Structure formats: C-alpha cells, structure tokens
Amino acid sequence: MTRRIFIDKQSPKAYHALVQTSEAVRATAADAGLERTVVELVNLRVSQLNGCAYCLDLHTRAALRGGETPRRLGVLAAWRDTELFTPLERAALALAEATTLPTDADAQEAAYSAAREVLTEDQISAVIWVAVTINAFNRVSIMSKHPVRRPDGA
C-alpha cells in the first residue's frame, strides 16, 4: 500500500480553517438548541455511511463522554428499526443521511419534509452544517489513512 500524506499535517492552514468551521458549526448547533448528543449521533451516522474508522472512533468516545448510551450507539446503523431515538433525533439522522448521500432526490425530499415537521429552521440548518463538516473531516481522515490504534497497554 502506498504511504499516505496526512493532509492535515501537510496543509495545516487549510486544516485549521476546517477546524474553525467545525467550531462555528458546533456553536451554531448549540444556539439552535441541539443537544451535543444529537450532534454526535449525526457525526457518527455520517461517519458510518462514509466508512471512516478514525472519525467513528473519535466520535464514539465523544458521544459516550457526552452521556450517550452504548445501546443506542450499537444500533445507530439501524436507527429506523428501533424505538430508541426521539422524533428530533430521527429527523436529524434522516437529514444527515440525505446530506451525505444526495443523489437520491426522493429520499432527500422526504428527509427534508420530515425535518420541517420536527426541527426549526435554525436546527435544520445546523444539522446540515454538522453533516457537511463531518463529511469533510471524513474525507481528510479517509484519504490520509489516519490510523485507529489500540490504547497503550492493550
């Protein structure tokens, strides 16, 4: 396998701009009244769809620190088939999926319509920005092949 360039290290100014965007998006989500657990669920679901091991590891730990339960994290990939997520969380997850997989216009329209029934306009905007931002971080980590290593002593 070809050694990858860690593009975050190779182009730190660009990466720093992405980090600043992420910080602004996190504040936007909080200002819109979205709990940190909702943001982390979106981060995780998008990272699942993209297959980003590094971001899955990072945001699983962040979600657990933020009070998310292992049970809900364990079924997140099949969230539609459970009763474990609130209507707000379900709307956010559907909208995040539509943002990540935008080629299905019907699914995108259905997700957006459902979101308008549950989320405020500020929350819709924030969820889309969270999904856009984590998609960007997923690409950085996937293309850089950021490793997920065992903790020291494991």
Side-chain angles (χ1 to χ4, degrees):
M1 179 168 50
T2 305
R3 186 184 71 77
R4 300 287 179 102
I5 297 166
F6 283 13
I7 65 169
D8 50 327
K9 305 290 189 248
Q10 187 68 32
S11 306
K13 287 181 183 176
Y15 185 73
H16 183 68
L18 184 56
V19 169
Q20 286 181 312
T21 299
S22 176
E23 290 168 356
V25 167
R26 190 177 309 120
T28 297
D31 291 347
L34 293 176
E35 294 182 14
R36 184 70 183 163
T37 53
V38 174
V39 171
E40 291 305 337
L41 288 173
V42 168
N43 286 333
L44 283 165
R45 184 63 188 128
V46 169
S47 297
Q48 286 174 338
L49 293 171
N50 289 325
C52 183
Y54 185 85
C55 292
L56 283 166
D57 180 56
L58 180 78
H59 290 286
T60 295
R61 289 182 284 121
L64 289 167
R65 280 192 313 272
E68 190 53 77
T69 67
R71 182 178 185 206
R72 284 173 25 116
L73 293 179
V75 299
L76 181 59
W79 64 268
R80 285 182 175 85
D81 299 326
T82 76
E83 296 177 3
L84 299 178
F85 300 94
T86 69
L88 185 146
E89 291 166 339
R90 296 171 78 76
L93 290 167
L95 195 55
E97 288 180 357
T99 302
T100 303
L101 307 170
T103 57
D104 186 344
D106 292 336
Q108 187 182 80
E109 188 59 37
Y112 203 94
S113 294
R116 294 209 36 93
E117 293 177 18
V118 179
L119 303 172
T120 67
E121 289 184 359
D122 286 343
Q123 290 172 329
I124 289 171
S125 180
V127 167
I128 292 170
W129 273 111
V130 170
V132 165
T133 306
I134 192 61
N135 269 292
F137 278 111
N138 286 169
R139 269 59 177 179
V140 168
S141 290
I142 289 167
M143 292 308 295
S144 297
K145 288 277 189 203
H146 286 156
V148 178
R149 294 190 172 102
R150 295 172 72 169
D152 290 345

